[in-house]
Amino acid sequence: MPNDLFSPAMRLLGWAVHGTFLVLLAIALVRTLHDARAGIAAGGLALGALYTGGVVWARHDRRPRPLPARLWLALLTAAWAGLAMSSPDFVWLAFPLFFLYLHLLPLPAALPGVALLTAAAIGAVAWHGGGVTLAEVLGPSVGASVATLMALAYQALYRESEQRRLLIEDLVRTRERLLRAEAGAARLTERERLAREIHDTLAQGMSSIILLLRAARRDLDSDRDAAVGRLAEAEQAAAENLEEARNFVRELVPPALQRSSLPDALRRITESADARSAARIRFQVSGSPAELPVDHEVALLRIAQGALGNAAGHSGAENVGVTLTYLDDMVVLDVFDDGRGFDPASVGGRPPESGAGTGYGLRAMRDRARALGGALTVESAPREGTAVVATLPLPGSEERR
């Protein structure tokens, strides 16, 4: 039987079996020498040497080699049988042999072997005594039963431990798969976050710079002062974009929020967009401003930047409005324009006739709102303008309800 899972217990059981064998053998040798039966004592010493040699060999040879072990067991049984027929003092060595049978042989072969060994022990006692008593029958029978029950209990424990080992291995594999899945999900989430940040900061800034440079080139011959003003605005936009990139690398809050509150930051980006766009862009606050967590303010600022970038780049609007509304349990950001509009159900949610954009902007805005438990809705129709509405719950609003 395998014993690697119970090696400490099996070592203790092994030493107990070996000790029992040697003690019983020593008692038998002392009694045979006392009776001056030197030949039988020499046979007992040979049996002890055979037993000890097999144990030492087994301890140094860790490979599972059942054939030599069973041959050793057969030699032990034959030597024991000869000595038991020669002297009743050796009959009780059958008890440690029971454990050897149950340990070295598979159970279907070990149980008949133990039964034959028990019968041989009882027969040897009857041979020497000219008859057999109940006590002489019960002694080997009880020993065989105890050894068998101990072996069966060990096998049951082994099976249960093996099942637990397999379950633990399965749990470890499942945990490893879960960790890999979580790592993949974390990488995907971080990739989405980076994509949103790049789209709402660097990409929008680059788009504004391109528009300003195109306008400056257009005005270079006809209105040099206007062209110089456009170039100055492009330089300012580039500086702001560079600052955004640096903060993006340092994972800090946007520069606009570092210097002021959310309403002031929205007012500044609205005024900046108004200066760079042909559209008239206005901002207003409704309700009493409430302090928001940084992630709420960053999300609303980025949504406003994305919506303003879409309005300036794609809508062709003359008027754009930005409204920040504080309610009892939520904050609402509206960005609306009177531009050409589009079908929100179209692929990517972008104006099909604009011929520009990637369609990522609205999805990024929607993801930002959902990540904070809010929502983003887009209302638009061809030639009827566009309204982007972001709604975020205020912290603690659920408890107040």
Side-chain angles (χ1 to χ4, degrees):
M1 290 183 293
N3 58 16
D4 55 327
L5 295 180
F6 299 105
S7 53
M10 287 302 300
R11 283 197 295 269
L12 180 60
L13 179 60
W15 285 116
V17 172
H18 303 330
T20 302
F21 183 91
L22 294 177
V23 168
L24 292 175
L25 179 61
I27 293 173
L29 289 174
V30 169
R31 295 186 65 175
T32 53
L33 289 174
H34 182 267
D35 295 339
R37 292 179 289 178
I40 298 176
L45 289 174
L47 175 63
L50 178 63
Y51 186 93
T52 304
V55 171
V56 172
W57 172 80
R59 286 182 60 83
H60 287 84
D61 190 352
R62 299 290 184 178
R63 294 170 294 175
R65 302 169 66 179
L67 184 59
R70 292 171 186 177
L71 179 60
W72 173 70
L73 182 62
L75 293 175
L76 277 179
T77 303
W80 168 81
L83 289 171
M85 295 302 294
S86 301
S87 171
D89 298 325
F90 292 92
V91 171
W92 302 110
L93 288 172
F95 183 72
L97 290 180
F98 293 151
F99 288 96
L100 292 179
Y101 269 67
L102 292 165
H103 180 67
L104 297 176
L105 299 177
L107 196 61
L111 292 179
V114 169
L116 290 175
L117 202 63
T118 304
I122 295 173
V125 172
W127 169 265
H128 291 290
V132 64
T133 65
L134 180 62
E136 292 170 340
V137 172
L138 288 178
S141 300
V142 170
S145 300
V146 171
T148 301
L149 290 175
M150 290 180 65
L152 293 176
Y154 167 77
Q155 286 192 340
L157 288 174
Y158 172 79
R159 286 193 297 269
E160 182 179 354
S161 180
E162 182 68 9
Q163 291 175 354
R164 290 182 179 178
R165 183 183 66 81
L166 294 175
L167 178 60
I168 291 173
E169 290 180 353
D170 185 59
L171 289 174
V172 169
R173 287 192 296 268
T174 302
R175 185 181 64 179
E176 291 175 350
R177 289 195 297 268
L178 180 60
L179 289 175
R180 287 194 295 270
E182 289 179 347
R187 285 194 296 270
L188 182 60
T189 301
E190 182 64 10
R191 187 179 302 168
E192 289 289 332
R193 187 188 72 83
L194 292 175
R196 288 196 300 267
E197 292 292 335
I198 291 172
H199 178 275
D200 293 341
T201 56
L202 304 182
Q204 294 289 356
M206 292 295 182
S207 178
S208 297
I209 293 171
I210 291 172
L211 292 175
L212 289 169
L213 292 176
R214 286 175 179 173
R217 184 175 58 185
R218 185 179 62 246
D219 297 337
L220 191 59
D221 295 330
S222 60
D223 191 347
R224 191 173 185 83
D225 292 338
V228 171
R230 297 293 186 186
L231 290 175
E233 293 174 7
E235 183 181 1
Q236 178 64 27
E240 293 176 358
N241 215 35
L242 178 60
E243 184 66 19
E244 287 281 5
R246 289 171 175 169
N247 281 277
F248 177 66
V249 171
R250 294 193 297 265
E251 294 187 350
L252 300 177
V253 298
L257 289 176
Q258 288 179 335
R259 298 188 296 265
S260 59
S261 64
L262 175 62
D264 291 337
L266 289 173
R267 181 173 289 105
R268 274 199 304 275
I269 66 168
T270 301
E271 292 173 352
S272 178
D274 179 63
R276 299 169 188 171
S277 173
R280 182 173 179 269
I281 304 175
R282 293 295 178 264
F283 169 74
Q284 64 179 3
V285 178
S286 177
S288 300
E291 185 176 353
L292 299 176
V294 173
D295 52 355
H296 283 57
E297 293 186 341
V298 171
L300 292 172
L301 183 65
R302 297 305 189 204
I303 291 172
Q305 287 176 319
L308 286 173
N310 287 341
H314 308 310
S315 71
E318 295 182 359
N319 296 282
V320 179
V322 179
T323 303
L324 181 65
T325 303
Y326 290 92
L327 302 177
D328 291 339
D329 57 351
M330 69 180 66
V331 58
V332 181
L333 175 70
D334 296 271
V335 181
F336 51 90
D337 64 66
D338 58 1
R340 62 174 61 96
F342 65 100
D343 180 8
S346 63
V347 177
R350 63 181 184 273
E353 65 271 22
S354 68
T358 63
Y360 184 81
L362 289 176
R363 188 168 77 249
M365 297 179 209
R366 189 170 287 111
D367 289 343
R368 287 185 183 277
R370 287 175 177 172
L372 299 174
L376 184 132
T377 58
V378 179
E379 299 177 0
S380 184
R383 294 176 298 278
E384 293 186 10
T386 302
V388 176
V389 182
T391 304
L392 297 182
L394 291 176
S397 59
E398 292 295 329
E399 287 78 358
R400 290 196 295 271
R401 291 178 188 173

